[in-house]
Every structure is written in C-alpha cells, then in structure tokens.
Amino acid sequence: MRFVAFATKRSGARRKPIPNPLVYSFRGAGMLVAETWPSGPYCNRKASKDIGMSLATTQSISEIRARNKELIEEVLKVYPEKTAKRRAKHLNVHEAGKSDCGVKSNLKSIPGVMTIRGCAYAGSKGVVWGPIKDMVHISHGPVGCGQYSWGSRRNYYVGTTGIDTFVTLQFTSDFQEKDIVFGGDKKLNKIIDEVQELFPLNNGITVQSECPIGLIGDDIEAVSRAKSKEYDGKTIVPVRCEGFRGVSQSLGHHIANDAVRDWIFDKNGPDSKPRFEPTPYDVAIIGDYNIGGDAWSSRILLEEMGLRVIAQWSGDGSLAELEATPKAKLNILHCYRSMNYISRHMEEKFGIPWCEYNFFGPSKIAESLRKIASYFDDKIREGAERVIEKYQPLVNAVTAKYRPRLQGKTVMLFVGGLRPRHVIGAYEDLGMEVIGTGYEFGHNDDYQRTAQHYVKDSTLIYDDVNGYEFERFVEKLQPDLVGSGIKEKYVFQKMGVPFRQMHSWDYSGPYHGYDGFAVFARDMDMAVNSPIWKKLKAPWKDVPKPSLLAAE
Amino acid sequence: MAQSAEHVLDHLELFRGPEYQQMLANKKAFENPRESAEVERIREWTKTPEYREKNFAREALTINPAKACQPLGAVFASVGFEGTLPFVHGSQGCVAYYRSHLSRHFKEPSSCVSSSMTEDAAVFGGLNNMIDGLANSYNMYKPRMIAVSTTCMAEVIGDDLNAFIKTSKEKGSVPADFDVPFAHTPAFVGSHITGYDNALKGILEHFWDGKAGTAPKLERKPNDKINFIGGFDGYTVGNLREIKRIFEIMGIEYTVLADNSEVFDTPTDGEFRMYDGGTTLEDAANAVHAKATISMQQWCTEKTLPFIAEHGQDVVAFNHPVGLSATDDFLVALSRISGKDIPEELARERGRLVDAMTDSSAHIHGKKFAIYGDPDLCYGLAAFLLELGAEPTHVLSTNGNKAWEEKTKALLASSTFGQNCHVYPGRDLWHMRSLLFTEPVDFLIGNTYGKYLERDTGTPLIRIGFPVFDRHHHHRSAVWGYQGGMNVLVKILDKIFDELDKKTSLLGKTDYSFDIIR
C-alpha cells in the first residue's frame, strides 16, 4: 500500500506530492493552502533577502494586516468546525491603539492539537518552587514528572549539592500500584523521615503533588502539619499542583504562590524578626528564576545603584529569603505572570508596593532602572543614572558590533511567562523586528501589557499556538529567527529557520541586565548568521534538468 | 566590569570574576546558610559506610532514579510505525515532558499529542476529550495511524480506551477502518520499558487479532521472514541501521517492528518531516506470518514476546547484546533461525573486534567498573566488560526486577572477573553514590545524570545509556554488532586514556608516565 502525502518546504515554492511513502510530512492540506494563497515577494524568502530588506518593511501596514488575517483564515480551515470556532478566538492581528491583542487566553487547550503547554505541576515544581535551593522538593506521585523536569531548567545556584542544596536532585515518592490503591499518606510520612535522616541540613520540604494525589484523596496537608510538629515546627509545604488542575502551567504558579502565603508567611507572622538590620533600600527580586544566571546579572545592577537585594524569588533563592521578603521596601517583579499573586498579597497584607520591570536590552533596562529608582530618594535616582552611564560604552560597543549584522531581521516568538513581550525591546535594540508573538499560558493582562507597551501594529498574535499553526505561520511569514522552546527547536531548524530556545537560553545566558545583553546579542547573531543555513540544499539539487529528460 | 563586546562572557566565565564573586558572597548573609564546617562534616559523613547503611535502609523515598514512566516508552515505540501519531490520553503536561525528553536526547523533533484532560474530565471521564482529540489530530496531522496510550490520570479514574475509541469512531472522529491501536500505560506500574512493551503489544494485537473486534483475526501463514524488535534504546538510530545491514548481508528477509531509526534522525534540508520511515502498517500486520521474532531486550518485551509466541512463532530474546560473545550468540541464533550462513564479511568484522580487544586489553584488564541503566543494557555491558577482562563491581538497575537480578548474578558467577560484583535491582543513583564512596571503582558507565556522581565521587563517567543530554550525536552510532562493540570499546578506551593523561599531566611532578605512546 502506498499513499501520497505532501512535503512542506521552506522555499515557499509550490509543493509537489512526493510519491515515496517514507518521506512525507503531515500536511495534506498543504497543497491546497499553497495554491490558494497569493504568491508574492513575501512568499519567497529569496526575493526579500536579495534586496536586503526585511519582509515587513516592503509592505504597508494594511497589506501586512490583510496578509496576516488571510493567513489565520487559511490555518483555521484545517480544523473540524467546532475546533475552528474555538481556535479563531486565540488568533488575531494586533491593531495599534487597542487595549489588548484581541485574543482570548487562559482557556483550556483543545484535545489532540499538539499544544505546547505543560501543567500545574510544571508551574509549581518546575518554575516557582524547584529553584528554592535549601529545601527538598518531593515530586509526589509516579516517577515520570520529577524525572522529566530533573535539572532541565537551568536555575543556577551556589551551594553544596546534596548536602545543603538540593535543586538538581530528583526526590520522588515513585508511586506504585499499591500506593494508588491504599493511598500515599503513609509513604509520604516515611519519606519525610528519610529526608530528615539522610539530608539533615535541609531547611525545609515541599510536597509537589502529581495528578494521582488529588484523585485518590490523599491528605498531604494533614501529613505535612503532623510532620512539621514532629520536627519542631520545620517548614513543610504541601502544594496542590496536580497536573490536571487548570489549563496550563499558569494555575501551578498561582497555587505555588498561595502555598508560600499559607505555609511560609502565615507561619512566621508579620512581626517575626528579620535576621538582618533593615535599611530603607531593601528590595526583593520577584519572578527571576536565574536561568543561566539572569538574577545575578540583574542583582548586580540593583546593588550598584545603591539598593540592597534581600531576597531572590526564586532563582538561587532560599527559605530564609522567602521569609524575609515581607520586610522589603519594594518588590520588583520581573515575571509578572508567575508571581504577581504573591506581590499583590504582600501589597495588601504588608503594604509593600511592587513594580514591574524589564531587564532585557538596554532601552528597557534604563527605563526600568529609572522606574525602580523613582520609588526611592535622590541617592538611588542618581545611582540609577550612574549605572546607566557606566554601562553605556558596553551597550554602544555591543550595538556597534552586532546591529549591522542583525538590522532588519525578523523574529517570531512563542514562549511562556513574560518573554513573549519582554524580549521585544532587546531585539529592537539590535535593529530586529518581532512580527509575531504569543503566550503559552498568558492571561488577558499579559496581552494588555503586550498591546500597550510592546508590539507594533499588525503583529500576528497567537495564543496557545499548536504545532500545526506555528509551523504554518512561520512557513508563510518566513522570519529570520524563531524563538521558542525545545519542542519547537528542531522542527524549525529542519525547515531551515535559525532558532534560539527562549526558555533555557539554549544553554547559554544570562540574558538579563547589561552583561546579559552582550550574551543575547552574540547568541542571536550566531543563530541568524551561522553559515550552515546557506548549505541546506545539496548543490546537485534544483539544477535544471538535462534536455534528455525534459524531452520525455 | 568584565563584559565586553569583543570577548563576550557568558555564564561560564562571567560569574567567576571578582565583582560577581563579591556579590554572591554578600548574598550569603541573607540565605541563613549553614556553617561551612558543618556542611563539610555532613559531606564527609555521606561518604561513610554508616551513611550507606542508612541510605540502603530507605523504604519510601527514591532519589535520582534511573528510570522514567510508561508512556514515554509507549511514545518511543509508536513513532516507529509509518505515519503514526502517538496520542496520550490524560493530562497534557505529560506529553510536553515526553516530547522535551526525547528531543533533548536525539536533538530531533518529537511529535505527540495529548487529549488535554482537566478537572472536569477527572470528574466525568475523558470520553469527550478522546472524541474531540482524535478528530482534531486526524484532521490536522493526517496520520496513517494514531496509537493511544495513557497517563496516570486517565488510569486512576479508570478510562476505558477500547470503549472510548469505539465510541469516537461511531461519532465520526476518525473513519471506522482507521487504525487506532491502544495500550493502557499506567505510570505507577513498571517504567518506560514496560510502556514500550505494552504499546508494541497493543499495536500488534490490533493488527493481528482483529482490530478490537472490527475485523477478522489474521490467520497465520508462516513464511521465512524474521521480525526484529529493538526495545527502548537510546541508540536506536545507529543500532537499527546496523542490524538492517547485518540482515541484508546475511540475505535474511526481515521486518523491524517499531523502527524509529528514521524519525529520530531526519536530515536538515529545508523540510520538516513529522513522520519518517517506520514499520509500514502492512508489514506490522504481515509480521504475524514470520517464522520467528527476535527481541534484543528481554525486559522490554516481557508481554510482547509471549503474545507473539502464542501466535505460533519462535521467539528469542537477548539482553542488549554488546561485544564479542553476545554478538556471536546473536548471529548464531540468527543463522539457526533463518537457515542462512554467516557470511565471511561478518567473520572479518568479528576478527577486527578481536584484534582491537587484543590491542587494548592491557589497558582495560582488571579495571573496576560500576554500571547503571535499563536492565538489558546493564546486562549487555557487564557481559562485554567480563570478556575484556574488566571487573564489573556494581551493576544497578532502578527498573530491574528479581529475574534480572538472578540472571545477571548468573552471568557474573560464570566469569572469574565477575566474582566481586554485586547486583542492585530497584536501587537508585543515590544508592550508587554510597557504593562509589564505600567501594570505589575506576570507571562509571551510565547516562547523563551520572555526571552528578562523577562530580561527587570523582569516578570518571563513560556516557552509555538513555538519556544522554550533554553529549551530542552518540545515538547515531551503533552499539550492537561487532562494529557496535568496536564503538563501545573505543568509547571506554578514550576515557581510560584521557584519565591517564589527566593523572600524569602535572608539570614538574609527573613528567614521567606522561607517555606519548600508550
């Protein structure tokens, strides 16, 4: 049995059926789309490159808008009617002046579409709690969740791993059938004893629930309370982040934030003594996971301007830092999505103001330093100016070196948290243009911020994009760079599109702060301008056929 | 300021500078850190026999296991069939994890969908997710087959895949005759190798035994073909290619079942191939007629092989055969089953491996090794080390069972080089840490996570296993066949020589022994 399928090629040329059943790609609809879509310079990567201009600048805003709208319509055709209706609400073209991006968000993913999203456990253990370095985080349930998230997020820290620091250890209750049938509370009870015995320098324990915990009715709160009492008030935090809760990682962030509130703040009380003498310049970094050292290259700037960072949430963070945060004078919030909850709570309960900032790229860094400084006195304001001035030569040198190599290049993003908007400024500092972006698990307040402060008119917006949609969009818009995750990386590289992982910094980083901007610029350059992208086609392919064959 | 545009410093160097080091030292004050003497005391304590005893007394806690969960294996097996989209019924985060995990190892795309069940599905069951999910997947990704497996969520609430798929077909999600094999793959039973087994059996059962009651069962008409099953294998790309080469030079007609060697090694030429290669569905069905089935991994096919045997075929299982004797046994069995002679070409390859072993044996002989990994791989590697005159000392498999323990013990008992070796089923890498401290060895063989053990205990790590995230492209080289044995030998030797050089490269101290010829 043979069957015909269609290959999707980056060249934008019309697809031909490939009769070899072993070589095909999935898009039966591909041919239809290619034939009905208008062909033009924007369908042909070469044409735009030859004249040395990016795609978007060759067309008017209204042309781009029309093209993007058409693109969305075409993509929706693949779906069954019900699905098309639902997905249509998540895809749009941004219109300047609108208060949001005109898409629905934070809704359930549709079954079977290959969503890129993860789960609440990933949001809690993987993002919020996992980086707290002096606590033992138990992945409570079957072995897989902890295994797949083991050490993969690059939350850098300093400590003696396995002795007083535990970020890159995989603690799991490795549920077996009997634990499902009889419940896992007794096992959890024993696990906590074993943690205490084998890791006596741990400063606390969290219980990160996997799917079965909530389904079999375990009472991890009762176990945690009892064990805390047994170990002289030790901090033991049960987290109800079962993977089936909510629609994405996002609810896991919220649940994890609430667990800090209920099991750390409430436990200590607002009047508990800090371990250090407070100053008027104490701030906490909230929502920086120190991926590749991001929080460090941020902290150094804050300290240089005269502030004192008393806590990092949660990259390279510790329980003591979480506990001390209610003593901060200002909470500065990088990843709004994952930690706005606790910031709001601290504002309501302790009267601590919070301020969002963006440390990607010099324009946003300077803006943010001044914004943060505006909460303090002249000393800090002058400090901010001093820092901006100090790093200006570095910024100039980095821009001088890399901007000519990246000017006019187009980028499409699909990431989580704050990055679908926050990194846009850094690209623009390098002369690049973001022509499409979307959030894996954003809410409407993310899209509002995006619309009001970041994206340009006619930018393609895709919420909770799936494999099919993303590939189609990239194929048609032909960006010079895609920034997304590991699941997307190789797909686009196969298509010949330069790619950077924008969750893990593709094993590089830091990207935050001035030091990070240099790394960011270097990495984008090495992705876009790698010589390999010019060599994808075998030299003997696409050569005009000999006349003998043509005569057949 | 150390950063500059001329020489951009990333995380590797940036934070080592004095400004950052001072900053990190200042940060400590806010961390409520333990006394460094206390940290040092505990660190030393964790190296002791006393700690080992407490560590081995663990009954509930698992630390750094060397295993993953069932659906990962199911996805791995499913993509080995032509145009097949794995569909995992349950929570969606799991699928994101499997895809990431496979992509990080193979540096390749990994396509798989989820039925995205959430709270309401937990209450009412996931039938609607299945109905919608199958319809969407079918329309979007145009698969030839959708292979369904389950996450632990769907298993805990007891969703019935057979009934759900039937209902979905009735509702028109996919055509009635569209192939949707399925397997229940609860994460709280076994490991990824169990999931491989269940998924493969599910697919064969589907084709051979009447497609869940919708077609007549196939009647076996024996032919001369031989089925081949690789099992869950991080080297699947290189290994399956090597095995096909061997089958071809022996002139044997064969079917590789779950052949994912192409989909995990597609070219970069401007085209993304979501599906590539794979066992054709006809071949999967016709495999029932084969005269025999060979499994390279006994513990990956504990259910599949008996199922095949019930259909009247001879079945033979190996344990990830690596090296000389194991390849001999494999080829002799192949020859016996097929009736084909082993060609001279393979005899010459064998001779070359023997040649390499004699050339290098002095460097390996008597060296002590610790091995961990999937049960079959551990067995295969231990057997190779024994014939190299090395001494396996700790063999540990988190997903190894009692039968594996017995079989591995028997292997070790059969050689003078295996007398001082212990076998550890069901143990994890924190146990291994204690073993390496209390009974040190010269080298450790394992996957990427072994680098934590290497750092803690100073035991040099030779990366063989799954996953290998931090070295590139090794999955493209075979470890099976004589040539695969050669690859493994070279990998081990490279590490041995690197260590020799490292230990003798202190200028003014060890100018001797720093030999140019080894």
Side-chain angles (χ1 to χ4, degrees):
Chain A
M1 195 200 310
R2 291 164 83 86
F3 77 107
V4 177
F6 307 98
T8 304
K9 299 201 177 177
R10 174 154 169 77
S11 66
R14 179 171 294 185
R15 283 155 211 78
K16 287 182 194 142
I18 294 180
N20 178 354
L22 296 185
V23 184
Y24 63 94
S25 79
F26 58 81
R27 297 183 189 106
M31 192 173 72
L32 173 82
V33 171
E35 285 175 345
T36 52
W37 260 327
S39 59
Y42 52 86
C43 281
N44 185 328
R45 181 175 168 74
K46 262 192 178 160
S48 63
K49 296 303 137 183
D50 288 347
I51 53 172
M53 294 174 79
S54 82
L55 302 170
T57 52
T58 59
Q59 292 175 289
S60 73
I61 294 289
S62 61
E63 279 175 321
I64 295 169
R65 176 173 301 125
R67 175 201 63 189
N68 285 352
K69 292 234 174 207
E70 199 172 352
L71 182 48
I72 291 169
E73 289 307 311
E74 289 298 338
V75 162
L76 290 172
K77 281 184 187 165
V78 77
Y79 292 116
E81 198 184 334
K82 188 167 97 179
T83 307
K85 241 182 182 164
R86 284 175 67 183
R87 281 306 302 160
K89 296 175 185 157
H90 296 262
L91 308 173
N92 213 337
V93 183
H94 174 60
E95 281 183 47
K98 288 274 166 77
S99 66
D100 63 25
C101 299
V103 292
K104 292 265 184 214
S105 57
N106 196 32
L107 297 175
K108 270 196 244 177
S109 298
I110 299 171
V113 299
M114 211 176 310
T115 174
I116 293 165
R117 284 174 167 177
C119 64
Y121 165 88
S124 176
K125 188 267 185 178
V127 174
V128 174
W129 278 107
I132 299 294
K133 61 184 178 178
D134 56 346
M135 297 177 81
V136 166
H137 308 290
I138 300 162
S139 294
H140 192 38
V143 70
C145 317
Q147 201 71 2
Y148 307 124
S149 57
W150 180 8
S152 57
R153 231 176 101 80
R154 305 187 68 238
N155 307 111
Y156 281 5
Y157 62 87
V158 178
T160 308
T161 306
I163 307 300
D164 67 349
T165 308
F166 310 97
V167 180
T168 49
L169 271 74
Q170 207 287 71
F171 294 91
T172 170
S173 46
D174 189 13
F175 261 35
Q176 300 300 303
E177 199 149 21
K178 63 176 191 305
D179 302 314
I180 300 288
V181 175
F182 300 110
D185 286 344
K186 276 190 184 151
K187 189 171 200 176
L188 179 60
N189 194 66
K190 192 161 221 168
I191 282 172
I192 292 170
D193 291 337
E194 291 175 354
V195 167
Q196 285 298 94
E197 177 152 39
L198 293 169
F199 304 93
L201 301 187
N202 84 78
N203 283 335
I205 294 170
T206 72
V207 182
Q208 305 286 331
S209 302
E210 300 171 7
C211 286
I213 303 307
L215 298 171
I216 62 177
D218 275 12
D219 192 349
I220 58 170
E221 289 80 6
V223 176
S224 301
R225 249 183 238 114
K227 296 310 278 187
S228 174
K229 201 174 271 178
E230 189 181 330
Y231 290 106
D232 304 321
K234 185 182 189 68
T235 299
I236 301 179
V237 183
V239 192
R240 284 288 180 178
C241 55
E242 289 88 345
F244 62 82
R245 294 191 195 277
V247 303
S248 66
Q249 292 93 312
S250 185
L251 189 64
H253 306 140
H254 198 153
I255 291 168
N257 278 221
D258 288 354
V260 177
R261 178 194 66 198
D262 296 345
W263 296 83
I264 292 182
F265 287 173
D266 288 1
K267 179 167 175 272
N268 291 312
D271 302 324
S272 63
K273 273 207 157 71
R275 296 183 182 88
F276 49 81
E277 207 49 51
T279 77
Y281 304 118
D282 290 352
V283 300
I285 295 177
I286 311 281
D288 189 323
Y289 301 102
N290 206 31
I291 289 164
D294 280 340
W296 294 335
S297 56
S298 303
R299 183 185 188 110
I300 204 161
L301 301 179
L302 298 168
E303 294 189 344
E304 280 178 20
M305 71 192 265
L307 297 172
R308 186 170 79 158
V309 179
I310 63 165
Q312 282 179 209
W313 291 55
S314 56
D316 193 35
S318 57
L319 177 61
E321 290 169 73
L322 297 184
E323 289 171 344
T325 306
K327 305 292 178 195
K329 301 297 182 296
L330 177 69
N331 280 325
I332 64 164
L333 177 59
H334 209 243
C335 183
Y336 170 86
R337 180 70 278 131
S338 58
M339 286 198 176
N340 76 85
Y341 318 101
I342 200 70
S343 306
R344 291 175 197 280
H345 172 73
M346 284 190 267
E347 182 178 41
E348 281 164 27
K349 181 136 189 206
F350 310 114
I352 306 171
W354 52 280
C355 129
E356 289 176 64
Y357 71 111
N358 178 350
F359 269 7
F360 288 104
S363 302
K364 290 292 173 189
I365 296 172
E367 195 183 311
S368 296
L369 288 173
R370 291 185 175 119
K371 186 175 169 193
I372 293 165
S374 73
Y375 286 80
F376 296 93
D377 58 15
D378 284 350
K379 184 187 144 203
I380 301 298
R381 286 183 200 158
E382 282 155 24
E385 295 307 322
R386 197 174 56 242
V387 170
I388 294 166
E389 199 177 288
K390 174 185 167 187
Y391 286 93
Q392 197 56 47
L394 174 66
V395 169
N396 293 344
V398 169
T399 314
K401 180 174 177 184
Y402 292 107
R403 187 164 177 135
R405 303 165 63 84
L406 295 168
Q407 182 76 40
K409 303 285 184 192
T410 56
V411 186
M412 290 176 74
L413 299 169
F414 186 75
V415 219
L418 68 160
R419 291 164 179 172
R421 62 175 178 277
H422 262 44
V423 296
I424 291 175
Y427 283 113
E428 288 175 350
D429 287 333
L430 294 168
M432 300 171 80
E433 189 188 359
V434 174
I435 59 170
T437 191
Y439 290 82
E440 206 174 308
F441 46 80
H443 298 204
N444 197 45
D445 49 7
D446 291 301
Y447 285 102
Q448 285 169 350
R449 284 163 170 76
T450 309
Q452 292 165 18
H453 303 291
Y454 288 97
V455 288
K456 288 188 174 164
D457 202 10
S458 82
T459 303
L460 184 65
I461 306 291
Y462 30 81
D463 178 69
D464 183 21
V465 81
N466 55 56
Y468 176 87
E469 291 170 359
F470 201 13
E471 288 146 30
R472 289 314 325 228
F473 290 155
V474 168
E475 185 191 11
K476 281 294 152 190
L477 298 189
Q478 303 274 310
D480 297 295
L481 178 71
V482 172
S484 192
I486 183 70
K487 304 191 291 297
E488 294 71 60
K489 178 181 174 78
Y490 302 105
V491 169
F492 293 118
Q493 290 187 176
K494 301 278 178 196
M495 286 166 67
V497 190
F499 188 97
R500 287 297 296 187
Q501 289 183 66
M502 293 301 283
H503 298 261
S504 67
W505 304 151
D506 234 316
Y507 322 122
S508 176
Y511 282 177
H512 291 178
Y514 290 109
D515 286 344
F517 177 62
V519 183
F520 175 82
R522 180 200 70 177
D523 289 355
M524 298 311 137
D525 173 48
M526 75 164 79
V528 170
N529 293 312
S530 165
I532 193 62
W533 301 119
K534 297 196 176 97
K535 301 279 184 186
L536 302 195
K537 286 277 168 245
W540 59 88
K541 293 261 179 95
D542 290 338
V543 173
K545 290 196 171 142
S547 55
L548 194 71
L549 276 177
E552 276 181 352
Chain B
M1 183 180 20
Q3 189 63 289
S4 75
E6 298 79 58
H7 183 55
V8 175
L9 304 179
D10 61 22
H11 58 88
L12 184 63
E13 293 170 287
L14 184 64
F15 304 125
R16 298 179 190 209
E19 289 163 322
Y20 278 100
Q21 285 299 308
Q22 186 59 52
M23 182 191 85
L24 292 172
N26 295 344
K27 180 177 182 296
K28 268 243 163 218
F30 299 98
E31 293 176 358
N32 188 25
R34 302 287 182 160
E35 292 292 325
S36 56
E38 180 65 354
V39 172
E40 201 44 43
R41 189 183 69 80
I42 296 296
R43 193 155 84 113
E44 289 304 316
W45 173 61
T46 65
K47 300 175 181 175
T48 61
E50 180 205 342
Y51 187 87
R52 169 178 165 164
E53 201 177 308
K54 285 180 189 295
N55 191 9
F56 272 77
R58 262 190 283 143
E59 289 173 357
L61 173 63
T62 299
I63 310 159
N64 298 354
K67 68 170 180 181
C69 67
Q70 278 212 48
L72 180 79
V75 171
F76 180 92
S78 301
V79 296
F81 290 86
E82 173 197 24
T84 296
L85 183 64
F87 181 112
V88 189
H89 183 55
S91 302
Q92 71 194 14
C94 314
V95 167
Y97 278 143
Y98 317 139
R99 294 179 65 206
S100 303
H101 209 65
L102 292 168
S103 282
R104 286 175 178 138
H105 175 80
F106 289 109
K107 315 294 178 202
E108 290 288 321
S110 171
S111 301
C112 175
V113 296
S114 162
S115 64
S116 295
M117 285 166 65
T118 55
E119 285 105 328
D120 54 344
V123 177
F124 301 110
L127 175 60
N128 287 332
N129 298 66
M130 177 74 78
I131 293 170
D132 292 348
L134 287 178
N136 288 326
S137 300
Y138 179 78
N139 280 290
M140 296 172 73
Y141 298 112
K142 309 284 186 262
R144 297 253 11 224
M145 174 162 94
I146 295 176
V148 179
S149 56
T150 47
T151 77
C152 56
M153 179 208 182
E155 288 300 320
V156 171
I157 65 174
D159 279 2
D160 179 350
L161 292 182
N162 191 13
F164 281 18
I165 292 166
K166 212 178 234 173
T167 308
S168 299
K169 286 187 168 182
E170 283 162 14
K171 300 248 179 197
S173 298
V174 296
D177 61 350
F178 184 77
D179 292 309
V180 188
F182 63 90
H184 288 275
T185 50
F188 45 82
V189 175
S191 70
H192 56 287
I193 61 174
T194 323
Y196 178 97
D197 194 15
N198 283 332
L200 181 56
K201 177 170 172 274
I203 290 168
L204 296 180
E205 209 166 6
H206 170 84
F207 285 110
W208 296 2
D209 286 354
K211 304 193 173 187
T214 62
K217 289 189 182 192
L218 296 183
E219 194 186 323
R220 181 164 177 266
K221 296 174 193 133
N223 59 27
D224 278 342
K225 277 193 156 185
I226 293 176
N227 298 326
F228 180 89
I229 300 170
F232 191 103
D233 176 22
Y235 299 91
T236 186
V237 171
N239 274 343
L240 292 184
R241 285 182 187 155
E242 175 64 8
I243 291 300
K244 287 179 199 173
R245 187 184 68 90
I246 291 173
F247 274 112
E248 271 151 32
I249 58 180
M250 285 183 72
I252 300 171
E253 281 198 85
Y254 66 93
T255 303
V256 173
L257 295 171
D259 177 3
N260 49 21
S261 62
E262 293 302 316
V263 77
F264 284 133
D265 196 24
T266 63
T268 286
D269 59 0
E271 180 186 329
F272 161 51
R273 297 157 177 86
M274 180 167 161
Y275 312 112
D276 202 11
T279 314
T280 66
L281 306 191
E282 296 84 336
D283 283 351
N286 289 332
V288 72
H289 308 304
K291 75 196 293 194
T293 295
I294 293 175
S295 161
M296 288 301 245
Q297 300 197 63
Q298 175 184 353
W299 286 289
C300 287
T301 47
E302 281 186 292
K303 288 182 192 156
T304 302
L305 274 197
F307 165 81
I308 293 172
E310 280 164 23
H311 284 72
Q313 294 185 26
D314 284 342
V315 295
V316 187
F318 293 91
N319 300 104
H320 213 296
V322 177
L324 192 68
S325 310
T327 306
D328 289 348
D329 293 345
F330 170 65
L331 291 180
V332 168
L334 209 52
S335 171
R336 174 179 56 78
I337 296 164
S338 65
K340 307 270 186 183
D341 291 336
I342 300 170
E344 190 52 28
E345 193 178 340
L346 287 171
R348 285 186 70 87
E349 285 176 21
R350 182 184 192 279
R352 288 186 203 117
L353 179 59
V354 176
D355 181 66
M357 288 165 73
T358 57
D359 293 348
S360 311
S361 116
H363 289 280
I364 302 186
H365 193 100
K367 293 276 188 300
K368 289 183 169 181
F369 284 79
I371 309 169
Y372 72 85
D374 284 345
D376 291 288
L377 180 63
C378 281
Y379 186 99
L381 290 170
F384 189 32
L385 290 178
L386 291 176
E387 64 186 8
L388 285 164
E391 296 177 16
T393 305
H394 315 298
V395 181
L396 180 149
S397 183
T398 309
N399 47 356
N401 58 18
K402 188 83 191 150
W404 170 79
E405 181 187 10
E406 308 269 298
K407 188 166 183 175
T408 308
K409 275 183 174 166
L411 168 76
L412 295 161
S414 71
S415 164
T416 50
F417 300 97
Q419 300 305 308
N420 296 315
C421 184
H422 288 97
V423 181
Y424 300 95
R427 299 293 185 173
D428 56 43
L429 302 189
W430 200 254
H431 292 116
M432 181 62 101
R433 187 176 182 273
S434 279
L435 293 174
L436 295 177
F437 275 128
T438 54
E439 294 174 72
V441 296
D442 298 301
F443 296 94
L444 169 68
I445 299 183
N447 60 15
T448 278
Y449 298 114
K451 76 192 291 175
Y452 296 128
L453 292 169
E454 181 176 37
R455 180 177 63 183
D456 282 8
T457 69
T459 318
L461 170 68
I462 297 164
R463 283 172 178 76
I464 302 177
F466 176 92
V468 174
F469 291 154
D470 64 340
R471 295 292 184 273
H472 292 191
H473 310 309
H474 292 278
H475 64 276
R476 292 192 166 102
S477 304
V479 303
W480 292 341
Y482 297 121
Q483 295 196 352
M486 188 79 84
N487 292 336
V488 174
L489 176 65
V490 170
K491 201 179 278 195
I492 294 172
L493 284 168
D494 278 350
K495 183 60 85 174
I496 290 175
F497 291 129
D498 282 348
E499 286 301 308
L500 259 180
D501 287 345
K502 238 197 267 177
K503 281 184 185 150
T504 57
S505 57
L506 278 174
L507 203 61
K509 289 270 185 203
T510 58
D511 301 77
Y512 56 88
S513 306
F514 190 65
D515 289 316
I516 208 71
I517 306 161
R518 302 249 194 227

